[in-house]
Amino acid sequence: MQKKLLITAVLFISYFACNAQNISNNYIIPSQGISLNSILRGVLGMSVLIVLAFIFSANKKSIDWKTVGLGLGFQLLIAIAVLKVSFIQSIFEFIGQKFIDLLDFTSAGSTFLFGEMINVDSYGYIFAFQVLPTILFFSALTSVLFYFGIIQKVVKGMAWLLSKFLHISGAESLSISGNIFLGQTEAPLLIKPYLEKMNKSEILLVMIGGMATVAGAVLAAYIGFLGGDDPQLKLLFAKHLLTASVMAAPGAVVVSKILYPQTEEINSHIDIASKDNGSNLLDAISKGTTEGLKLAVNVGAMLLVFVALIAMTNGILGWFGDVTTINTWMVTHTHYTQISLESILGTIFSPLMWLIGVAKEDMMLMGQLIGIKIAASEFIGYVQLAELKDIASTTHLHFNKSIIMATYMLCGFANFASIGIQIGGIGSLAPGKRKLLSEFGMRALLGGTIASLMSAAIAGMILG
């Protein structure tokens, strides 16, 4: 019986792995541009994702398909504008350049503290010195922007647009708009007085909004280690990461209102709750730095533990592969040198990757990335993407389209750890909703993942 199961597992892996063509490893194939094929693949991907959300809907008959259509339209409009319209591209590149300038300012502080140890040419790329200080500085900067009321004004403007055109409540729109700039537990602070009064549909959108987006501080960190020392690459990834973050807002609304439709009357009133931004500017900087320190330490500790756990798992699987000779088969028929957690996750998610428009040569590696993101975190996913986009690496992605799609696909906090973070964080703001938050955990994870995949499918459709 065990032998039969082993043979079945190997055949399952080989079904997708053997479909990959052995093409040149010397360069990344550039995007071909929008075409009938890319449009059809994109439409297929979005349709599959909508159907998946529909299957898990709590009330299929009450779905407002007008809101769903408008939300998808917003996502498409944002993607087309940023990827194809020169004027809009310039705006996003301008904002992206400001993020890059801020990274350089962070480097000044890091150099003062660590000296030559942050010199990549001398010491190589040390994650703790290159990335974690960015989180600290951006957290402090965000606190300063809050103190002066700048973020509140931007968030309120975006919230008005979402509430007006997507027919969601004012509290929902504030939370989802805040998520573009803030983390999954910081954005709900903007609507703290409303949380206890929110219905199930609204609470789920707050959760999915947090899962589908990333905070500005870690967004800056992703720009840093995906772009490396290349200014053009930094600008490229800054533009796409910013676009992914903005696209996630309407995407979260679409998925949320399918999974749990709104049936109660909508309150469109928009009023940002007061938040302790510090008694003065120095106090705001101090608070932001302290919060950033907690986040940076948490990120560093999480990466250390998860990378070690993945290595341990791969060690056990590698031993099993040697004993059963699976590793020999893996070398011959797949991208991988042995059976590993990445190869298993890549196989499981390969069909989904093909459906959203990924080339068959890259679908296992892309499946690996989305699997790692869900099981561990998007940080681990981006660390692996930084390796997989490098043509000098033994195993790498073959298409530029795949690299950009992965950038969109990973841009969100949808992972198992985030369920606990939201239950603890949002639950502390609204203790009466803690039980509901626990019940909605897996549904929010599904919703956040689908929203990110929809953004990736749309980007892939336009890039071709």
Side-chain angles (χ1 to χ4, degrees), residues 17 76 147 167 220 231 291 310 366 368 384 447:
L76 276 167
Y147 176 76
H167 309 296
E291 291 172 1
I310 291 169
M366 290 286 282
Q368 162 191 326
Q384 292 196 357

Side-chain angles (χ1 to χ4, degrees), residues 288-340:
T289 302
T290 302
E291 291 172 1
L293 178 61
K294 292 177 182 177
L295 178 58
V297 170
N298 181 63
V299 167
M302 175 193 68
L303 287 172
L304 187 153
V305 170
F306 275 108
V307 169
L309 285 172
I310 291 169
M312 183 182 72
T313 303
N314 287 343
I316 296 170
L317 289 171
W319 169 82
F320 176 75
D322 285 335
V323 171
T324 58
T325 69
I326 290 179
N327 286 347
T328 303
W329 183 91
M330 295 289 290
V331 171
T332 306
H333 296 91
T334 75
H335 297 288
Y336 304 95
T337 57
Q338 65 170 52
I339 186 169
S340 61

Side-chain angles (χ1 to χ4, degrees), residues 74-84 243 247 458-459 462:
F74 262 115
Q75 277 195 296
L76 276 167
L77 187 63
I78 293 168
I80 292 171
V82 175
L83 298 176
K84 292 296 181 182
T243 306
M247 285 177 66
I458 292 171
I462 296 170

Side-chain angles (χ1 to χ4, degrees), residues 343-375:
S343 67
I344 293 171
L345 292 171
T347 300
I348 292 171
F349 289 101
S350 283
L352 182 59
M353 293 300 98
W354 185 86
L355 286 169
I356 68 170
V358 175
K360 60 184 178 181
E361 293 86 358
D362 287 342
M363 62 187 184
M364 280 193 73
L365 295 178
M366 290 286 282
Q368 162 191 326
L369 291 174
I370 189 64
I372 286 292
K373 175 196 174 184
I374 296 171

Side-chain angles (χ1 to χ4, degrees), residues 15-235:
Y15 175 79
F16 294 104
C18 289
N19 276 291
Q21 296 176 352
N22 293 320
I23 59 178
S24 173
N25 288 331
N26 296 325
Y27 66 97
I28 301 294
I29 298 175
S31 300
Q32 304 301 305
I34 193 168
S35 64
L36 179 60
N37 181 61
S38 71
I39 292 173
L40 292 175
R41 290 289 295 278
V43 170
L44 174 63
M46 286 188 287
S47 300
V48 169
L49 294 170
I50 293 294
V51 169
L52 183 60
F54 179 79
I55 290 171
F56 288 95
S57 175
N59 188 351
K60 296 178 175 63
K61 293 182 179 179
S62 299
I63 296 173
D64 185 350
W65 291 107
K66 182 180 178 181
T67 296
V68 172
L70 286 170
L72 286 173
F74 262 115
Q75 277 195 296
L76 276 167
L77 187 63
I78 293 168
I80 292 171
V82 175
L83 298 176
K84 292 296 181 182
V85 180
S86 299
F87 173 69
I88 305 298
Q89 272 187 336
S90 299
I91 294 175
F92 271 73
E93 287 176 355
F94 174 80
I95 299 171
Q97 186 59 53
K98 297 309 167 188
F99 267 83
I100 295 169
D101 292 342
L102 290 171
L103 287 174
D104 294 335
F105 300 150
T106 306
S107 179
S110 299
T111 301
F112 173 78
L113 193 62
F114 302 117
E116 278 296 307
M117 294 185 74
I118 71 162
N119 189 324
V120 176
D121 295 331
S122 301
Y123 291 90
Y125 192 89
I126 303 174
F127 189 92
F129 296 152
Q130 300 291 339
V131 176
L132 298 186
T134 302
I135 297 175
L136 273 170
F137 178 64
F138 271 79
S139 179
L141 181 62
T142 300
S143 185
V144 170
L145 294 175
F146 248 104
Y147 176 76
F148 287 113
I150 296 172
I151 286 182
Q152 293 93 315
K153 287 182 173 60
V154 176
V155 166
K156 194 167 184 176
M158 296 185 71
W160 180 84
L161 284 172
L162 289 174
S163 180
K164 184 77 172 176
F165 293 103
L166 296 184
H167 309 296
I168 58 176
S169 69
E172 287 176 296
S173 61
L174 272 178
S175 180
I176 194 71
S177 300
N179 276 128
I180 296 173
F181 309 96
L182 307 170
Q184 56 188 328
T185 55
E186 289 83 17
L189 287 169
L190 300 175
I191 56 167
K192 183 179 178 181
Y194 304 100
L195 284 170
E196 289 285 9
K197 303 173 186 177
M198 290 179 120
N199 58 48
K200 292 182 177 180
S201 178
E202 292 170 336
I203 286 292
L204 182 61
L205 178 52
V206 171
M207 295 179 73
I208 291 178
M211 293 276 193
T213 55
V214 293
V218 292
L219 191 74
Y222 302 150
I223 294 170
F225 70 79
L226 284 177
D229 289 332
D230 189 327
Q232 290 186 333
L233 274 182
K234 280 184 180 179
L235 187 59

Side-chain angles (χ1 to χ4, degrees), residues 267-288:
N267 179 7
S268 59
H269 178 68
I270 298 175
D271 187 21
I272 296 179
S274 59
K275 178 179 177 288
D276 183 12
N277 302 319
S279 57
N280 54 50
L281 178 59
L282 290 177
D283 189 31
I285 295 172
S286 176
K287 286 180 180 293

